[in-house]
């Protein structure tokens, strides 16, 4: 008898156990796009729009679809986008529900499920504007979850996955919610999610701070192990924590991204 494939992860379980109040820290922001950037609205279900900002420089350059971290909004990347510009990369940053100018209320289930319509709209926008360079998906911290969803289930037109300061497993979240990550509903969720991550076939770059005390480095190593079937690289930034990683290690951070998009985009 053939083995039974794992069920799709029931991410709504996290919401039913109160993940919304524990996980999300939405922040509103309506600031206009700076020169050289353009704002977009992405409909993820009828009446629910996510805000996005596209920092573009060249239609033949690589473009990264970027899901940011918790408590962050697209406007926080107005300055950071300059670093991407310096390495010849277009940056397309998307807010979650309830963040920035997005409507709706954030939940763990929609954090993941919104990734599909976001990826579809991302491709449509680039296609309409004649962008021909390779496309990548990236998630930082909380944004790792939608990035993994894209890489696992909607990877067709992407050349690679980048994860920064993220966790690939849900074992820690299960523990926070009072679930046993090895048994019962908690175990089912963890196993189904990890099976999804193992299906990822895109080359991957994982960047993590050595001194990250919010999502410890061991979580990056765990994700590295889960991605055993693909070409992947783990870059550890010495002395960096969770929220100062860019400033402590900007040079190795962007060197790693530049090398990765050059190598994986061909």
């Amino acid at each position: 008898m053939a083995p039974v494939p794992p069920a799709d992860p029931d991410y709504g379980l996290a919401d039913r156990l109160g993940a919304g109040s524990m996980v999300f820290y939405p922040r509103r922001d309506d600031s206009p796009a700076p020169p050289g950037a353009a704002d977009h609205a992405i409909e993820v279900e009828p009446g629910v729009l996510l805000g996005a900002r596209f920092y573009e420089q060249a239609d033949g350059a690589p473009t990264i679809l970027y899901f940011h971290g918790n408590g962050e909004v697209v406007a926080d990347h107005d300055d950071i986008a300059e670093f991407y510009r310096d390495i010849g990369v277009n940056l397309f940053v998307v807010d979650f529900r309830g963040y920035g100018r997005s409507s709706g209320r954030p939940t763990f289930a929609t954090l993941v499920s919104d990734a599909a319509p976001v990826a579809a709209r991302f491709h449509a926008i680039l296609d309409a504007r004649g962008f021909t360079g390779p496309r990548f998906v990236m998630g930082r911290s909380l944004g790792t979850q939608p990035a993994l969803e894209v890489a696992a289930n909607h990877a067709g037109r992407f050349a690679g996955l980048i994860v920064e300061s993220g966790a690939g497993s849900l074992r820690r979240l299960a523990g926070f919610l009072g679930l046993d990550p090895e048994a019962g509903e908690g175990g089912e969720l963890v196993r189904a999610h990890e099976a999804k991550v193992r299906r990822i076939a895109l080359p991957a770059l994982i960047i993590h701070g050595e001194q990250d005390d919010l999502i410890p480095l061991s979580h990056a190593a765990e994700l590295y192990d889960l991605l055993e079937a693909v070409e992947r690289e783990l870059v550890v930034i010495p002395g960096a924590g969770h929220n100062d990683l860019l400033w402590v290690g900007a040079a190795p951070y962007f060197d790693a991204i530049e090398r990765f998009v050059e190598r994986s985009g061909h």
Side-chain angles (χ1 to χ4, degrees), residues 193-236:
H193 176 78
E194 292 182 355
K196 181 185 85 171
V197 174
R198 287 191 180 95
R199 291 202 307 270
I200 291 173
L202 295 176
L205 170 64
I206 304 166
I207 306 175
H208 215 94
E210 178 189 33
Q211 303 298 326
D212 192 328
D213 57 4
L214 183 61
I215 300 178
L217 180 58
S218 59
H219 291 272
E222 185 177 41
L223 176 57
Y224 183 90
D225 290 341
L226 287 172
L227 294 170
E228 61 185 356
V230 303
E231 176 187 348
R232 76 271 201 223
E233 179 183 7
L234 172 59
V235 174
V236 179

Side-chain angles (χ1 to χ4, degrees), residues 141-180:
S141 190
L142 184 63
T144 296
Q145 300 309 323
L148 292 175
E149 173 68 13
V150 170
N153 293 323
H154 311 282
R157 301 185 64 188
F158 288 95
L161 163 69
I162 304 171
V163 171
E164 187 244 290
S165 304
S169 173
L170 297 183
R171 293 175 182 274
R172 184 182 182 202
L173 176 63
F176 284 155
L177 296 173
L179 296 169
D180 182 347

